Amino acid sequence: FAVGLNCALGAPQMRPFVQRLGQAADCYVFCYPNAGLPNAMGGYDDSPGAMGKALGEFAASGLLNMAGGCCGSTPAHIAAIREAVT
């Protein structure tokens, strides 16, 4: 089993919630944030590097077991996440 968060927020905004889940859950924890919060034009502004760095820090801190991306994430974002968490 796994529990986690998907969509709605960027990685930095998700951190306190993922941290809380990690403390309470006795199963795997995942996080699939957006590439930042939506901007005024409906786009997402977090770069692949920023998103990868944030999720890499989550993984290094032992907060999650699975990571990915949601709205605004591109193949470059997913590649940056993979590089940062492995």
Coordinates of all heavy atoms in Angstrom, one line a residue:
F1 N 0.8 -1.2 0.0 CA 0.0 0.0 0.0 C 0.9 1.3 0.0 O 2.0 1.2 0.4 CB -0.9 0.0 1.2 CG -2.0 -1.0 1.2 CD1 -1.8 -2.2 1.9 CD2 -3.1 -0.9 0.4 CE1 -2.8 -3.2 1.9 CE2 -4.1 -1.8 0.4 CZ -3.9 -3.0 1.1
A2 N 0.3 2.4 -0.4 CA 1.0 3.6 -0.4 C -0.1 4.8 -0.2 O -1.2 4.6 -0.5 CB 1.7 3.9 -1.7
V3 N 0.4 5.8 0.3 CA -0.4 7.0 0.6 C 0.4 8.2 0.1 O 1.6 8.2 0.2 CB -0.9 7.2 2.0 CG1 0.3 7.4 3.0 CG2 -1.9 8.3 2.2
G4 N -0.2 9.2 -0.4 CA 0.6 10.4 -0.8 C -0.3 11.5 -1.3 O -1.5 11.5 -1.2
L5 N 0.4 12.5 -1.9 CA -0.3 13.7 -2.5 C 0.0 13.8 -3.9 O 1.1 13.5 -4.4 CB 0.3 14.9 -1.7 CG 0.0 15.0 -0.2 CD1 0.8 16.1 0.4 CD2 -1.5 15.1 0.0
N6 N -1.0 14.3 -4.6 CA -1.0 14.5 -6.1 C -1.6 15.8 -6.4 O -2.7 16.0 -5.9 CB -1.7 13.3 -6.8 CG -1.6 13.4 -8.3 OD1 -0.6 13.5 -8.9 ND2 -2.8 13.4 -8.9
C7 N -1.0 16.6 -7.3 CA -1.6 17.8 -7.8 C -1.8 18.9 -6.8 O -1.3 18.8 -5.7 CB -3.0 17.4 -8.5 SG -3.4 18.6 -9.8
A8 N -2.5 19.9 -7.2 CA -2.9 21.1 -6.4 C -1.8 22.0 -6.0 O -2.0 23.2 -6.0 CB -3.6 20.7 -5.1
L9 N -0.6 21.5 -5.6 CA 0.5 22.4 -5.1 C 1.8 22.1 -5.8 O 2.0 21.0 -6.4 CB 0.7 22.2 -3.6 CG -0.5 22.5 -2.7 CD1 -0.3 22.0 -1.3 CD2 -0.9 23.9 -2.7
G10 N 2.7 23.0 -5.7 CA 4.1 22.7 -6.1 C 4.8 22.0 -5.0 O 4.3 21.9 -3.9
A11 N 6.0 21.5 -5.3 CA 6.8 20.7 -4.3 C 7.0 21.5 -3.0 O 6.8 20.9 -1.9 CB 8.1 20.2 -4.9
P12 N 7.5 22.7 -3.0 CA 7.8 23.4 -1.8 C 6.5 23.5 -0.9 O 6.6 23.4 0.3 CB 8.3 24.8 -2.2 CG 8.8 24.6 -3.6 CD 7.9 23.5 -4.2
Q13 N 5.4 23.7 -1.5 CA 4.2 23.9 -0.7 C 3.7 22.5 -0.2 O 3.0 22.5 0.8 CB 3.0 24.5 -1.6 CG 3.3 25.9 -2.0 CD 4.2 26.0 -3.3 OE1 4.4 25.1 -4.0 NE2 4.8 27.2 -3.4
M14 N 4.1 21.4 -0.8 CA 3.6 20.1 -0.4 C 4.5 19.6 0.8 O 4.1 18.6 1.5 CB 3.7 19.1 -1.5 CG 2.5 19.1 -2.4 SD 2.6 17.7 -3.5 CE 1.1 17.9 -4.4
R15 N 5.7 20.1 0.9 CA 6.6 19.5 1.9 C 6.0 19.3 3.3 O 6.2 18.2 3.9 CB 7.9 20.3 2.0 CG 8.9 19.6 2.9 CD 10.2 20.4 3.1 NE 11.0 19.6 4.0 CZ 12.0 18.9 3.7 NH1 12.4 18.7 2.5 NH2 12.7 18.2 4.7
P16 N 5.4 20.3 3.9 CA 4.9 20.0 5.3 C 3.8 18.9 5.3 O 3.8 18.1 6.3 CB 4.3 21.3 5.7 CG 4.2 22.2 4.5 CD 5.1 21.6 3.5
F17 N 3.0 18.7 4.3 CA 2.0 17.7 4.2 C 2.7 16.3 4.0 O 2.2 15.3 4.6 CB 1.0 18.0 3.1 CG 0.3 19.3 3.3 CD1 0.7 20.4 2.5 CD2 -0.6 19.5 4.3 CE1 0.1 21.6 2.7 CE2 -1.2 20.8 4.5 CZ -0.9 21.8 3.7
V18 N 3.7 16.2 3.2 CA 4.4 15.0 2.9 C 5.1 14.6 4.2 O 5.1 13.4 4.6 CB 5.4 15.1 1.7 CG1 6.2 13.9 1.6 CG2 4.6 15.3 0.5
Q19 N 5.7 15.5 4.9 CA 6.4 15.3 6.1 C 5.4 14.7 7.2 O 5.7 13.7 7.8 CB 7.1 16.5 6.7 CG 8.0 16.3 7.8 CD 8.8 17.5 8.1 OE1 8.8 18.5 7.4 NE2 9.7 17.4 9.1
R20 N 4.3 15.3 7.3 CA 3.3 14.8 8.2 C 2.8 13.4 7.9 O 2.6 12.5 8.7 CB 2.1 15.8 8.2 CG 1.1 15.5 9.3 CD 1.6 16.0 10.6 NE 0.6 15.8 11.6 CZ -0.2 16.7 12.1 NH1 -0.2 17.9 11.7 NH2 -1.1 16.4 13.1
L21 N 2.5 13.2 6.6 CA 2.1 11.8 6.1 C 3.2 10.8 6.5 O 2.9 9.7 6.9 CB 1.9 11.8 4.6 CG 0.6 12.2 4.1 CD1 0.6 12.2 2.5 CD2 -0.5 11.2 4.6
G22 N 4.5 11.1 6.2 CA 5.6 10.2 6.5 C 5.7 9.8 8.0 O 6.0 8.7 8.3
Q23 N 5.3 10.8 8.8 CA 5.3 10.5 10.3 C 4.2 9.6 10.7 O 4.3 8.8 11.6 CB 5.3 11.8 11.1 CG 6.5 12.6 10.9 CD 6.3 14.1 11.4 OE1 5.2 14.5 11.7 NE2 7.4 14.8 11.5
A24 N 3.0 9.7 10.0 CA 1.8 8.9 10.4 C 1.7 7.6 9.6 O 1.1 6.7 10.2 CB 0.6 9.8 10.1
A25 N 2.2 7.5 8.4 CA 1.9 6.3 7.6 C 2.8 5.2 7.9 O 4.0 5.4 8.2 CB 2.1 6.7 6.1
D26 N 2.3 4.0 7.9 CA 3.1 2.8 8.0 C 3.2 2.0 6.7 O 3.2 0.8 6.6 CB 2.5 1.9 9.1 CG 1.1 1.4 8.8 OD1 0.5 1.9 7.9 OD2 0.6 0.5 9.6
C27 N 3.2 2.8 5.6 CA 3.3 2.3 4.3 C 4.2 3.3 3.4 O 4.7 4.3 4.0 CB 1.9 2.1 3.6 SG 1.0 3.6 3.5
Y28 N 4.3 3.0 2.2 CA 5.1 3.9 1.3 C 4.4 5.2 1.1 O 3.2 5.3 1.2 CB 5.3 3.2 -0.1 CG 6.1 2.0 -0.1 CD1 5.6 0.8 -0.6 CD2 7.4 2.1 0.3 CE1 6.4 -0.3 -0.6 CE2 8.2 0.9 0.3 CZ 7.7 -0.3 -0.2 OH 8.5 -1.4 -0.2
V29 N 5.2 6.3 0.9 CA 4.7 7.6 0.7 C 5.1 8.1 -0.6 O 6.3 8.0 -1.0 CB 5.2 8.6 1.9 CG1 4.7 10.0 1.6 CG2 4.7 8.1 3.2
F30 N 4.2 8.7 -1.3 CA 4.5 9.3 -2.7 C 4.1 10.8 -2.7 O 3.3 11.3 -1.9 CB 3.8 8.5 -3.8 CG 2.3 8.6 -3.8 CD1 1.7 9.7 -4.5 CD2 1.5 7.6 -3.3 CE1 0.3 9.8 -4.5 CE2 0.1 7.7 -3.3 CZ -0.5 8.8 -4.0
C31 N 4.7 11.4 -3.7 CA 4.5 12.9 -3.9 C 4.6 13.1 -5.4 O 5.6 12.9 -6.0 CB 5.5 13.7 -3.1 SG 5.3 15.5 -3.3
Y32 N 3.5 13.6 -6.0 CA 3.4 14.0 -7.4 C 3.0 15.5 -7.5 O 1.8 15.7 -7.8 CB 2.5 13.1 -8.2 CG 2.8 11.6 -8.2 CD1 1.8 10.7 -8.3 CD2 4.1 11.1 -8.1 CE1 2.0 9.3 -8.3 CE2 4.3 9.8 -8.0 CZ 3.3 8.9 -8.2 OH 3.5 7.5 -8.1
P33 N 3.8 16.4 -7.2 CA 3.4 17.8 -7.2 C 3.3 18.4 -8.7 O 3.8 17.8 -9.6 CB 4.6 18.5 -6.5 CG 5.8 17.7 -6.8 CD 5.2 16.3 -6.9
N34 N 2.6 19.5 -8.7 CA 2.6 20.3 -10.0 C 4.0 20.9 -10.2 O 4.7 21.0 -9.2 CB 1.5 21.4 -9.9 CG 0.1 20.9 -9.9 OD1 -0.1 19.7 -10.2 ND2 -0.8 21.8 -9.5
A35 N 4.2 21.4 -11.4 CA 5.4 22.2 -11.6 C 5.2 23.6 -11.1 O 5.2 24.6 -11.9 CB 5.7 22.2 -13.1
G36 N 4.9 23.8 -9.8 CA 4.7 25.0 -9.2 C 3.2 25.3 -9.2 O 2.4 24.5 -9.6
L37 N 2.8 26.4 -8.6 CA 1.4 26.9 -8.6 C 1.1 27.5 -9.9 O 1.9 28.1 -10.6 CB 1.2 27.9 -7.5 CG 1.4 27.4 -6.1 CD1 1.3 28.5 -5.1 CD2 0.4 26.3 -5.7
P38 N -0.2 27.4 -10.4 CA -0.6 28.0 -11.6 C -0.3 29.5 -11.6 O -0.6 30.2 -10.6 CB -2.1 27.7 -11.8 CG -2.3 26.6 -10.8 CD -1.3 26.7 -9.7
N39 N 0.2 30.0 -12.7 CA 0.4 31.5 -12.8 C -0.8 32.1 -13.4 O -1.9 31.5 -13.6 CB 1.7 31.8 -13.7 CG 1.6 31.3 -15.1 OD1 0.5 31.2 -15.7 ND2 2.7 31.0 -15.7
A40 N -0.8 33.4 -13.6 CA -2.0 34.2 -14.0 C -2.5 33.7 -15.4 O -3.7 33.9 -15.7 CB -1.7 35.7 -14.0
M41 N -1.6 33.1 -16.2 CA -2.0 32.7 -17.5 C -2.4 31.2 -17.5 O -2.6 30.6 -18.6 CB -0.9 32.9 -18.5 CG -0.4 34.4 -18.6 SD -1.8 35.4 -19.1 CE -2.0 34.9 -20.8
G42 N -2.4 30.5 -16.4 CA -2.7 29.1 -16.3 C -1.6 28.2 -16.5 O -1.8 27.0 -16.6
G43 N -0.4 28.7 -16.6 CA 0.8 27.9 -16.9 C 1.5 27.6 -15.5 O 1.0 28.0 -14.5
Y44 N 2.6 26.9 -15.6 CA 3.3 26.5 -14.4 C 4.8 26.9 -14.6 O 5.4 26.6 -15.7 CB 3.2 24.9 -14.2 CG 1.8 24.6 -14.0 CD1 0.9 24.3 -15.0 CD2 1.3 24.5 -12.7 CE1 -0.4 23.9 -14.8 CE2 -0.1 24.2 -12.4 CZ -0.9 23.9 -13.5 OH -2.2 23.6 -13.3
D45 N 5.4 27.5 -13.6 CA 6.7 28.1 -13.8 C 7.9 27.4 -13.1 O 9.0 27.9 -13.4 CB 6.6 29.5 -13.2 CG 5.6 30.4 -13.9 OD1 5.5 30.2 -15.2 OD2 5.0 31.3 -13.3
D46 N 7.7 26.4 -12.4 CA 8.9 25.7 -11.8 C 9.6 25.0 -12.9 O 9.1 24.2 -13.7 CB 8.4 24.7 -10.7 CG 8.1 25.3 -9.4 OD1 8.2 26.5 -9.3 OD2 7.9 24.5 -8.4
S47 N 10.9 25.2 -12.9 CA 11.8 24.6 -13.9 C 12.0 23.1 -13.5 O 11.8 22.7 -12.3 CB 13.2 25.3 -13.9 OG 13.8 25.1 -12.6
P48 N 12.4 22.3 -14.4 CA 12.8 20.9 -14.1 C 13.8 20.9 -13.0 O 13.7 20.0 -12.1 CB 13.3 20.4 -15.4 CG 12.6 21.2 -16.5 CD 12.5 22.6 -15.9
G49 N 14.8 21.7 -13.0 CA 15.9 21.7 -12.0 C 15.3 22.0 -10.6 O 15.7 21.4 -9.6
A50 N 14.4 23.0 -10.5 CA 13.9 23.4 -9.2 C 13.0 22.2 -8.7 O 13.1 21.9 -7.5 CB 13.1 24.6 -9.3
M51 N 12.2 21.6 -9.5 CA 11.3 20.6 -9.1 C 12.2 19.3 -8.7 O 11.9 18.7 -7.7 CB 10.4 20.2 -10.2 CG 9.2 19.4 -9.8 SD 8.0 19.4 -11.1 CE 6.9 18.2 -10.5
G52 N 13.2 19.0 -9.5 CA 14.0 17.9 -9.2 C 14.8 18.1 -7.9 O 14.9 17.2 -7.0
K53 N 15.3 19.3 -7.7 CA 16.0 19.6 -6.4 C 15.1 19.4 -5.2 O 15.4 18.8 -4.2 CB 16.5 21.0 -6.5 CG 17.3 21.4 -5.2 CD 17.8 22.9 -5.3 CE 18.5 23.2 -4.0 NZ 18.8 24.6 -3.8
A54 N 13.8 20.0 -5.3 CA 12.9 19.9 -4.2 C 12.6 18.4 -3.8 O 12.7 18.0 -2.7 CB 11.6 20.6 -4.5
L55 N 12.3 17.6 -4.9 CA 11.9 16.2 -4.6 C 13.2 15.4 -4.2 O 13.1 14.5 -3.4 CB 11.2 15.6 -5.8 CG 9.8 16.1 -6.0 CD1 9.2 15.6 -7.3 CD2 8.9 15.7 -4.8
G56 N 14.3 15.8 -4.7 CA 15.6 15.2 -4.2 C 15.8 15.4 -2.8 O 16.2 14.5 -2.0
E57 N 15.5 16.6 -2.3 CA 15.6 16.9 -0.8 C 14.6 16.1 0.0 O 14.9 15.6 1.0 CB 15.4 18.4 -0.6 CG 16.6 19.2 -1.1 CD 16.3 20.7 -1.1 OE1 15.2 21.1 -0.7 OE2 17.2 21.5 -1.5
F58 N 13.4 15.9 -0.6 CA 12.4 15.1 0.1 C 12.9 13.7 0.3 O 12.8 13.1 1.3 CB 11.1 15.0 -0.7 CG 10.2 16.2 -0.8 CD1 10.7 17.5 -0.4 CD2 8.9 16.2 -1.2 CE1 9.9 18.6 -0.5 CE2 8.1 17.3 -1.3 CZ 8.6 18.5 -1.0
A59 N 13.4 13.1 -0.8 CA 14.0 11.7 -0.8 C 15.2 11.6 0.2 O 15.2 10.7 0.9 CB 14.3 11.3 -2.2
A60 N 16.1 12.6 0.1 CA 17.3 12.5 1.0 C 16.9 12.6 2.4 O 17.6 12.1 3.3 CB 18.2 13.7 0.6
S61 N 15.8 13.3 2.7 CA 15.3 13.4 4.1 C 14.5 12.2 4.5 O 14.0 12.2 5.7 CB 14.4 14.7 4.2 OG 15.2 15.8 4.0
G62 N 14.3 11.3 3.6 CA 13.5 10.1 4.0 C 12.0 10.3 4.0 O 11.3 9.5 4.6
L63 N 11.5 11.4 3.3 CA 10.1 11.7 3.4 C 9.3 10.9 2.4 O 8.0 10.8 2.6 CB 9.9 13.2 3.1 CG 10.6 14.2 4.1 CD1 10.3 15.6 3.7 CD2 10.1 13.9 5.5
L64 N 9.9 10.3 1.4 CA 9.0 9.7 0.4 C 9.8 8.5 -0.2 O 11.0 8.4 -0.2 CB 8.5 10.6 -0.7 CG 9.5 11.5 -1.4 CD1 10.2 10.7 -2.6 CD2 8.8 12.7 -2.0
N65 N 8.9 7.6 -0.8 CA 9.4 6.4 -1.5 C 9.2 6.5 -3.0 O 9.9 5.7 -3.7 CB 8.7 5.2 -0.9 CG 8.8 5.1 0.6 OD1 7.9 5.5 1.3 ND2 10.0 4.6 1.1
M66 N 8.3 7.2 -3.4 CA 7.9 7.4 -4.9 C 7.7 8.8 -5.2 O 7.2 9.6 -4.3 CB 6.7 6.6 -5.2 CG 6.8 5.1 -5.0 SD 5.3 4.2 -5.3 CE 4.4 4.4 -3.7
A67 N 8.2 9.2 -6.3 CA 8.1 10.6 -6.7 C 7.7 10.7 -8.2 O 8.0 9.9 -9.0 CB 9.4 11.4 -6.5
G68 N 7.0 11.8 -8.6 CA 6.6 12.0 -9.9 C 6.2 13.5 -10.1 O 6.4 14.3 -9.2
G69 N 5.4 13.7 -11.2 CA 5.0 15.1 -11.4 C 3.5 15.1 -11.9 O 3.1 14.1 -12.4
C70 N 2.9 16.2 -11.7 CA 1.5 16.3 -12.2 C 1.4 17.5 -13.2 O 2.3 17.7 -14.0 CB 0.5 16.4 -11.0 SG -1.2 16.1 -11.4
C71 N 0.4 18.4 -13.0 CA 0.2 19.5 -13.9 C 1.4 20.3 -14.2 O 2.1 20.7 -13.2 CB -0.9 20.4 -13.4 SG -2.5 19.5 -13.2
G72 N 1.7 20.6 -15.4 CA 2.8 21.4 -15.8 C 4.1 20.6 -15.9 O 5.1 21.2 -16.4
S73 N 4.1 19.4 -15.5 CA 5.3 18.6 -15.6 C 5.5 18.1 -17.0 O 4.6 17.7 -17.7 CB 5.2 17.3 -14.7 OG 5.1 17.7 -13.3
T74 N 6.8 18.2 -17.5 CA 7.1 17.8 -18.8 C 8.1 16.6 -18.7 O 8.6 16.3 -17.6 CB 7.9 18.9 -19.5 OG1 9.1 19.2 -18.9 CG2 7.0 20.2 -19.6
P75 N 8.4 15.9 -19.8 CA 9.5 14.9 -19.7 C 10.8 15.4 -19.1 O 11.4 14.6 -18.4 CB 9.6 14.5 -21.2 CG 8.3 14.7 -21.8 CD 7.8 16.0 -21.1
A76 N 11.1 16.6 -19.3 CA 12.3 17.2 -18.7 C 12.2 17.2 -17.1 O 13.1 17.0 -16.4 CB 12.6 18.6 -19.2
H77 N 11.0 17.6 -16.6 CA 10.7 17.6 -15.2 C 10.9 16.2 -14.6 O 11.6 16.0 -13.6 CB 9.3 18.1 -14.9 CG 9.1 19.5 -15.0 ND1 8.8 20.1 -16.3 CD2 9.2 20.6 -14.2 CE1 8.7 21.4 -16.1 NE2 8.9 21.7 -14.8
I78 N 10.3 15.2 -15.3 CA 10.4 13.8 -14.8 C 11.8 13.3 -14.8 O 12.3 12.6 -13.9 CB 9.5 12.9 -15.6 CG1 8.0 13.4 -15.5 CG2 9.6 11.5 -15.1 CD1 7.4 13.6 -14.1
A79 N 12.6 13.7 -15.9 CA 14.0 13.3 -15.9 C 14.8 13.9 -14.8 O 15.6 13.3 -14.2 CB 14.6 13.7 -17.3
A80 N 14.5 15.2 -14.5 CA 15.2 15.9 -13.4 C 14.9 15.2 -12.0 O 15.7 15.1 -11.2 CB 14.9 17.3 -13.4
I81 N 13.6 14.8 -11.9 CA 13.2 14.2 -10.6 C 13.9 12.8 -10.5 O 14.5 12.5 -9.5 CB 11.7 13.9 -10.6 CG1 11.0 15.3 -10.5 CG2 11.3 13.0 -9.4 CD1 9.5 15.2 -10.8
R82 N 14.0 12.1 -11.6 CA 14.6 10.8 -11.6 C 16.1 10.9 -11.2 O 16.6 10.2 -10.4 CB 14.5 10.1 -12.9 CG 15.2 8.8 -13.0 CD 15.0 8.2 -14.4 NE 15.9 7.0 -14.5 CZ 17.1 7.0 -15.0 NH1 17.7 8.1 -15.4 NH2 17.8 5.9 -15.1
E83 N 16.7 11.9 -11.8 CA 18.2 12.1 -11.5 C 18.4 12.5 -10.1 O 19.3 12.1 -9.4 CB 18.7 13.2 -12.4 CG 20.1 13.6 -12.3 CD 21.0 12.5 -12.8 OE1 20.7 11.7 -13.7 OE2 22.2 12.3 -12.2
A84 N 17.5 13.3 -9.5 CA 17.6 13.8 -8.2 C 17.3 12.8 -7.1 O 17.9 12.9 -6.0 CB 16.7 15.0 -7.9
V85 N 16.5 11.8 -7.4 CA 16.1 10.9 -6.3 C 16.8 9.6 -6.4 O 16.7 8.8 -5.5 CB 14.6 10.6 -6.3 CG1 13.8 11.9 -6.0 CG2 14.1 10.0 -7.5
T86 N 17.6 9.3 -7.4 CA 18.3 8.1 -7.5 C 19.8 8.3 -7.2 O 20.3 9.3 -7.2 CB 18.1 7.4 -8.9 OG1 18.6 8.3 -9.9 CG2 16.7 7.0 -9.1

